[in-house]
Amino acid sequence: MAKTTYSCSACGASFSKWSGRCDGCGEWNSITEDKGLSKGGPASKSLGMRRGKTIPLSDLATEEAPPPRSCCGVGELDRVLGGGLVPASAILVGGDPGIGKSTLLLQAAAQFARSGVKTIYVSGEEASAQVRMRAQRLGLAQAPVKLAAETNLRDILTTLEAEKPQLAIIDSIQTMWADHVDSAPGSVSQVRAAAHELTTFAKTNGVSIIMVGHVTKDGQIAGPRVVEHMVDTVLYFEGERGHQFRILRAVKNRFGPADEIGVFEMTGGGLSEVRNPSALFLSERGAPSPGSVVFSGIEGTRPVLVEMQALVAPSPHSQPRRAVVGWDSSRLAMILAVLEARCGIPFAGLDVYLNVAGGMKISEPAADLAVAAALLSAREDTALPADTVVFGEISLSGALRPAPQTENRLKEAQKLGFTAAIAPSGGKSVAVEGLALRQASDLAGFVGDYFGAG
């Protein structure tokens, strides 16, 4: 006999026995008994579950080919998925409200359906007529996609079992309601139960399921973090409302590289893919100006060139301001401290503003040297040559560390017309035709060579 378990409907914490108060979040009367979906009892199985059988690893046929992926024809989406959609996979897509998640997935559903993949789009937020109106605006009215408007999880699973699609899109997981969970839709317990049932259905029936998830004000997917552990792939759809660019980023992918990105542009007819994002991010870059430096970065497997912009100005306040958009503010504080301690260049009494142009978000340490160059360029009012890219990691000692995939960074810069690159020395020697590589061993030497200080 299966053991009865209990969980908190407020925070999702699990317990072996019932109590009046949750030890995790402190809520009263929030602990309820976990019940199965199919028969309503704690010992019952979830809908669609089968008793598993063990298979010795040594008996698996080595020549057996992996399941074929389904490509929708949208190159940026296929790239982020790792080369296409894997059968029986569960995918979670998160993003801010109004960023374009539903638009992206409706376009993807239409492309998958046109390529022969039987697709069902289930909306818990809109009526079928409203989804059809959006499809007409996007020019997808003739796509062979089946639509459904439902929030009851039991009805959705029953329909999927009868229709047997290859792809099901659930928009969104926060609107799904499981009738065996005694809490409101969108609560921690409901989101966890719905994600578990949908993921289990995907694995046992060979259906690929894409779930849309809303995010909190901190940018994390709303609900328990265990949902991200359940699924195979977690994608975040990012972008600044002031920019037309949207970035689909893989933060977890069991079937492909993590941190891969796909770039889209929001237009009147929906989202269009950007095949060369570096050229687009640099398209609005004008004449050389102080504080502007081009960084050659790597996002997943793709080299991307972006412009780092810095502004340094006298502060009227006793405590100078540090404002960052698109980069880690803690890392900016570290770069400023290294410049002062190792190079003798203080930023006390100066406001510092740093921005990554185009709405990109950079997280790799190789951007350190480009940020330092932009800060020094703005402080000294000296512009670096417009045909130069910069990359490299800065250590606390002031030494420069080489960045990985140097050759890919240099080739991308050369392809876009850059003729010079500044990078740390000591790495793998790479020669790219038409591009001069200038190397520096430490930050003090770099400052002295290009800004005459330090």
Side-chain angles (χ1 to χ4, degrees), residues 228-264:
E228 297 189 28
H229 297 288
M230 290 180 187
V231 299
D232 301 309
T233 304
V234 180
L235 309 178
Y236 277 88
F237 204 38
E238 307 169 350
E240 298 291 338
R241 294 189 181 275
H243 297 279
Q244 71 272 30
F245 306 128
R246 301 289 187 268
I247 298 171
L248 184 66
R249 186 185 304 272
V251 298
K252 171 189 175 182
N253 194 351
R254 290 173 178 160
F255 312 116
D259 291 330
E260 188 68 88
I261 68 166
V263 183
F264 298 85

Side-chain angles (χ1 to χ4, degrees), residues 357-374:
M360 274 285 291
K361 293 182 180 179
I362 303 297
S363 59
E364 63 169 329
D368 290 350
L369 189 58
V371 170

Side-chain angles (χ1 to χ4, degrees), residues 9-24:
S9 60
C11 68
S14 298
F15 303 94
S16 59
K17 62 181 180 179
W18 184 89
S19 62
R21 185 175 183 268
C22 175
D23 295 334

Side-chain angles (χ1 to χ4, degrees), residues 347-382:
F347 284 82
L350 298 173
D351 287 336
V352 175
Y353 301 89
L354 181 69
N355 176 52
V356 180
M360 274 285 291
K361 293 182 180 179
I362 303 297
S363 59
E364 63 169 329
D368 290 350
L369 189 58
V371 170
L375 294 172
L376 293 169
S377 175
R379 186 184 186 278
E380 304 297 327
D381 199 27
T382 302

Side-chain angles (χ1 to χ4, degrees), residues 178-324:
D179 54 14
H180 69 290
V181 178
D182 298 329
S183 59
S187 64
V188 171
S189 299
Q190 286 283 0
V191 172
R192 183 181 60 180
H196 172 69
E197 295 295 340
L198 289 169
T199 303
T200 302
F201 184 86
K203 302 299 181 184
T204 55
N205 293 272
V207 180
S208 299
I209 292 183
I210 301 178
M211 297 173 277
V212 178
H214 297 302
V215 298
T216 62
K217 61 181 180 181
D218 298 327
Q220 302 296 324
I221 294 178
R225 198 62 186 266
V226 70
V227 173
E228 297 189 28
H229 297 288
M230 290 180 187
V231 299
D232 301 309
T233 304
V234 180
L235 309 178
Y236 277 88
F237 204 38
E238 307 169 350
E240 298 291 338
R241 294 189 181 275
H243 297 279
Q244 71 272 30
F245 306 128
R246 301 289 187 268
I247 298 171
L248 184 66
R249 186 185 304 272
V251 298
K252 171 189 175 182
N253 194 351
R254 290 173 178 160
F255 312 116
D259 291 330
E260 188 68 88
I261 68 166
V263 183
F264 298 85
E265 184 177 8
M266 182 64 77
T267 65
L271 290 162
S272 60
E273 57 179 328
V274 178
R275 299 185 181 276
N276 190 352
S278 297
L280 194 58
F281 287 138
L282 300 177
S283 60
E284 299 178 359
R285 188 168 183 260
S289 60
S292 174
V293 173
V294 177
F295 164 61
S296 181
I298 296 289
E299 294 290 339
T301 59
R302 159 184 282 171
V304 178
L305 269 62
V306 293
E307 181 183 3
M308 311 293 287
Q309 301 171 340
L311 176 63
V312 178
S315 176
H317 308 291
S318 59
Q319 192 163 7
R321 186 175 183 186
R322 307 288 188 253
V324 186

Side-chain angles (χ1 to χ4, degrees), residues 21 56 62 67 147 161 165-166 187-188 196 261 269 299 316 328 338 383-384 387 393 398 404 452:
R21 185 175 183 268
T62 56
L147 301 178
E161 197 167 16
Q166 296 171 270
S187 64
V188 171
H196 172 69
I261 68 166
E299 294 290 339
D328 186 9
V338 173
L384 285 178
D387 59 351
E393 182 182 353

Side-chain angles (χ1 to χ4, degrees), residues 98 151 257 290 452:
T151 59

